[in-house]
Amino acid sequence: MKTVVVAGGTDGIGRALVEERLGRGDRVVVIGRDPAKGHELFGGRVEFVTADLSLVGETMKAVDAVAAGNPVVDALVLCARHYRSERTETAEGIEENFALLYLSRYLLGHGLAPAMARAPRPVVVNVAGPGGGLHLVRWHDLELRRDYHGGAALGQGGKLNDLLGVAFVQRYPGIRYVLVHPGATATGFSGTYDPATRAHVEAIRATAKPPSAALPPILAAIDDPPGEALSAIVEGRRIAVDGPDFDAGAAARLWSITKERLDGRA
């Protein structure tokens, strides 16, 4: 039996993963913002930790709650995301995509690293869309105050998570880090969309694979973490993580910016 923590486990790929791991007899911890929905879906079969992961304060409380009840964590799976056609700031004054798609994943990985280090073969699986180019990162405008576009925010978020993985394995060499891009999947497509984007999303949904079809690389990483410290899988295909788009200098730069951004909070 493994202890598996799933952030964003009440919809789409996260929900399908929770059901699969419960079926295998694992202990599953779900982090989500709606405990009523969690109870409706899973009853008492999971430990449900309530948190709005777009908020730094709530994410940190979630880390503490998970760690308090689970001194050993075998796998952390990061799935939560929410599309915004219009730029939106959280109650803490942070652009929402940057907060949810990047900062929450930074905080969860860093905060649960001690518990993962106690597991025999720990792994982080980050479902964020690896493989984009470094040009996607707006180093001087990470919160997209100028020329915001929801697609650009997601694209940058995916690249920031690539760099997060690079920096993470340097600091926690005993924990494997797997970046996963499952391809077009018929999830709940959580978000608020303008009419043109909504039409595009509905067209994708019509031909997208079911969430269960996106699980194999995630399940494989949990069951048998790869030998490499960092790896990336795009639609079932391994891609290289040693090229310029996974630059260690860029990863260190982002880590430093993140620490400064969170100074006094984490």
Side-chain angles (χ1 to χ4, degrees):
M1 182 180 73
K2 293 178 181 286
T3 295
V4 180
V5 178
V6 183
T10 58
D11 288 293
I13 294 171
R15 175 180 171 182
L17 176 65
V18 171
E19 291 288 1
E20 176 68 24
R21 299 315 303 194
L22 287 172
R24 298 185 183 204
D26 286 344
R27 174 178 174 79
V28 181
V29 182
V30 176
I31 306 174
R33 67 174 70 194
D34 189 346
K37 183 175 183 179
H39 181 75
E40 177 184 348
L41 291 174
F42 309 121
R45 295 181 296 153
V46 305
E47 176 188 342
F48 193 90
V49 175
T50 303
D52 179 347
L53 294 175
S54 70
L55 298 174
V56 169
E58 291 201 18
T59 302
M60 292 171 62
K61 289 179 181 178
V63 167
D64 291 342
V66 173
N70 302 275
V72 178
V73 171
D74 295 278
L76 170 64
V77 184
L78 305 167
C79 295
R81 53 160 278 180
H82 187 82
Y83 187 93
R84 291 282 191 182
S85 286
E86 295 186 3
R87 186 181 185 277
T88 304
E89 290 190 356
T90 69
E92 297 171 328
I94 304 173
E95 192 276 314
E96 189 176 89
N97 283 284
F98 184 70
L100 176 61
L101 187 54
Y102 172 65
L103 288 181
S104 75
R105 298 179 187 222
Y106 170 96
L107 289 166
L108 288 166
H110 182 75
L112 293 176
M116 286 187 283
R118 299 186 190 103
R121 300 182 68 199
V123 63
V124 178
V125 183
N126 190 335
V127 185
L134 271 179
H135 68 278
L136 295 171
V137 180
R138 299 186 191 177
W139 288 107
H140 300 292
D141 187 22
L142 288 175
E143 296 186 44
L144 306 183
R145 290 181 172 85
R146 298 179 299 277
D147 301 320
Y148 176 87
H149 185 278
L154 290 185
Q156 175 179 260
K159 189 72 255 172
L160 296 182
N161 279 286
D162 288 356
L163 299 178
L164 171 58
V166 172
F168 187 93
V169 298
Q170 291 177 340
R171 285 160 176 78
Y172 309 106
I175 303 173
R176 297 297 182 250
Y177 206 101
V178 182
L179 299 155
V180 175
H181 187 336
T185 305
T187 67
F189 290 99
S190 174
T192 55
Y193 300 92
D194 59 41
T197 306
R198 170 59 66 184
H200 180 63
V201 165
E202 292 303 324
I204 293 174
R205 191 197 302 271
T207 59
K209 59 178 172 281
S212 59
L215 292 184
I218 303 172
L219 295 172
I222 297 172
D223 291 335
D224 187 18
E228 302 89 349
L230 177 68
S231 55
I233 303 169
V234 177
E235 296 190 70
R237 177 178 58 86
R238 293 281 293 267
I239 65 170
V241 294
D242 56 357
D245 290 329
F246 291 83
D247 179 66
R253 179 183 183 184
L254 178 62
W255 190 276
S256 177
I257 291 170
T258 305
K259 294 288 286 184
E260 181 178 348
R261 186 70 177 84
L262 293 172
D263 186 38
R265 304 190 194 212

